[in-house]
Amino acid sequence: MSRSGTSTLLISPNSVLANALLRTIDLLRPRVQAVRPTRIEFVVGTQINGAPHLGTNLVQTAAFLLAKTARREFSIDTRVQFGALDNAPHEVVLDPETHHAYQQTYVHALGKDKITELIDRYYTVFFDSLSEASGTDYAVETYTDQQATPGFRAEFLRTLERLEDIRWWMAPSHGTVHIRIPCPECGWAEKRADRTKLIRFGEDGATFTAVCFDHGRYEAHIDPEDDAPYLDLATLYRNLVKERTLGRATDVLHVMMKGGDWAFGCQLVDGALGALGTPAAHMPIRIFTPQVLAPTGAKLSKSLLRERDTRLLPADVEPWMVDTTTWPGALDNYVDSLVWLVGELLTDPKHFFRSFTVKELGRLMSARPVTLPVRAHEMGIYKRYFDLIASGRKSVEVRVNDSSRRKIRAGSLIRFRCQGDQVLTRVTRVARYASFEEMFDHERIGSVNPLATREEQLANIRQIYPPEREALGVVAIGIELVDPPRPA
């Protein structure tokens, strides 16, 4: 048994938000208390336009670790929802005659199969490793699939009813909202949508006209039931429609995970949400993750990196920071290192709600333990049961069968935590049941709790798990100590 401490590697100034929180996850508590969701989904989007840099992976790792923490803190099932933004511009050209800029998205330039290959190359194995390290499920949805859903398209059409109210929020400099509908012949679309016009709007949907530099003027009709034509919205508008769509879910709380630079842009999105009369219960909840800064103080950026020879980057920017696939070691080691790093940032809200230079992050990564903590499922547990496990008297742990428990199998490791103490165990067997009564028909009460009768323990469990949680099913996990307990 060992005692986990708080980070001594970091010194961070206080801030308004950090001053209000004891733990980063407490930022979600007001909404969780208000809506009582059955699941929390941490939504993180990434442009599919090449290898990720450190800032991208840091946001994604924070999503998985916060999902793990929220599951433990609120006793609610959690998941990470990865939005693969395959509508990132693959190429931008100027029409030589009109000088209007045109762009083609990655999915139009490469096709869906190549997009799947990009996701697999840069993210699938990474997410699989993160999922295993955090015990958190995830799902992937491309923007191409998202924009084709009836819910997204219906929400887009609702925003058109109030286009005059939101257009200055979405485009404060000129009031022209960038609605790009690529040419059905070639897939190119006018980047700034200067000549894309809404000409009809009614109960049957919306009709637009646009101009292609090769194929001239064309019409496009949008309605919720037809997934064509392709609807490519500028960044702020896309987020407005996405957050309005997700906000309508009544049983799932969606948490938008965003890099720190988004704190500025969300002012405009929130203005548009207000102009649309979005109810308070439907307003998005967002967590802004630490921003990774280059030595100049600018955000570590793919676009800036593409504009200069990476050999000319400052010495503080290590190669793996700009292309994380070049990490000098195995992928699992990279993931475990990131989990350790973000875990350190999460020890105190002052460390999480701030920015870090690549030099500081490099220092932290250099200070990580030579031997990182062994991967294990994490479970919080009450003191009386923790002591029974640590003494070897409790050999079966009982939980409801939520998504994180479904990953547990014989041979898995479980780290039980209680009030700063922890003990590592190995799973000897896993048995799943429909209810606690059925479980106690097959499991010895002495293995679950040697200090209680069946009736007493059943009553105790029912006080911990309400009926809706028991309805997920019950799992009995056989455990044994990996090492003899040691004093803290």
Side-chain angles (χ1 to χ4, degrees), residues 386-430:
F386 180 88
D387 290 343
L388 288 170
I389 291 173
S391 66
R393 299 177 65 193
K394 176 176 167 62
S395 59
V396 174
E397 174 60 11
V398 177
R399 300 283 167 133
V400 295
N401 193 34
D402 63 20
S403 61
S404 63
R405 315 306 175 204
R406 295 173 200 138
K407 295 177 177 290
I408 296 174
R409 56 186 60 87
S412 297
L413 298 178
I414 299 177
R415 185 178 291 109
F416 290 95
R417 295 185 181 274
C418 177
Q419 301 175 22
D421 291 331
Q422 61 184 38
V423 64
L424 189 64
T425 65
R426 180 179 291 106
V427 176
T428 58
R429 65 183 183 87
V430 178

Side-chain angles (χ1 to χ4, degrees), residues 299-421:
K299 169 193 170 186
L300 191 66
S301 162
K302 287 182 184 179
S303 57
L304 288 179
L305 295 173
R306 282 197 297 265
E307 291 171 5
R308 61 185 302 175
D309 190 331
T310 55
R311 292 173 297 180
L312 302 178
L313 292 173
D316 293 335
V317 182
E318 299 177 35
W320 65 267
M321 293 179 174
V322 299
D323 180 351
T324 60
T325 63
T326 64
W327 173 264
L331 176 68
D332 282 351
N333 175 259
Y334 174 60
V335 169
D336 289 342
S337 299
L338 271 183
V339 167
W340 174 85
L341 173 65
V342 177
E344 290 292 309
L345 304 187
L346 287 170
T347 59
D348 191 311
K350 293 195 298 293
H351 303 330
F352 190 80
F353 296 110
R354 54 161 288 188
S355 299
F356 291 86
T357 63
V358 289
K359 181 177 182 179
E360 176 67 356
L361 289 177
R363 180 187 73 83
L364 292 173
M365 289 293 261
S366 296
R368 71 188 188 278
V370 175
T371 303
L372 292 165
V374 64
R375 288 192 179 188
H377 298 269
E378 303 273 351
M379 292 189 188
I381 194 168
Y382 293 137
K383 185 70 165 61
R384 75 173 82 169
Y385 302 120
F386 180 88
D387 290 343
L388 288 170
I389 291 173
S391 66
R393 299 177 65 193
K394 176 176 167 62
S395 59
V396 174
E397 174 60 11
V398 177
R399 300 283 167 133
V400 295
N401 193 34
D402 63 20
S403 61
S404 63
R405 315 306 175 204
R406 295 173 200 138
K407 295 177 177 290
I408 296 174
R409 56 186 60 87
S412 297
L413 298 178
I414 299 177
R415 185 178 291 109
F416 290 95
R417 295 185 181 274
C418 177
Q419 301 175 22
D421 291 331

Side-chain angles (χ1 to χ4, degrees), residues 106-122:
Y106 263 72
V107 70
H108 286 94
L110 304 181
K112 282 193 172 185
D113 289 344
K114 290 292 185 182
I115 292 297
T116 299
E117 289 180 15
L118 278 176
I119 295 172
D120 288 343
R121 183 191 312 168
Y122 293 126

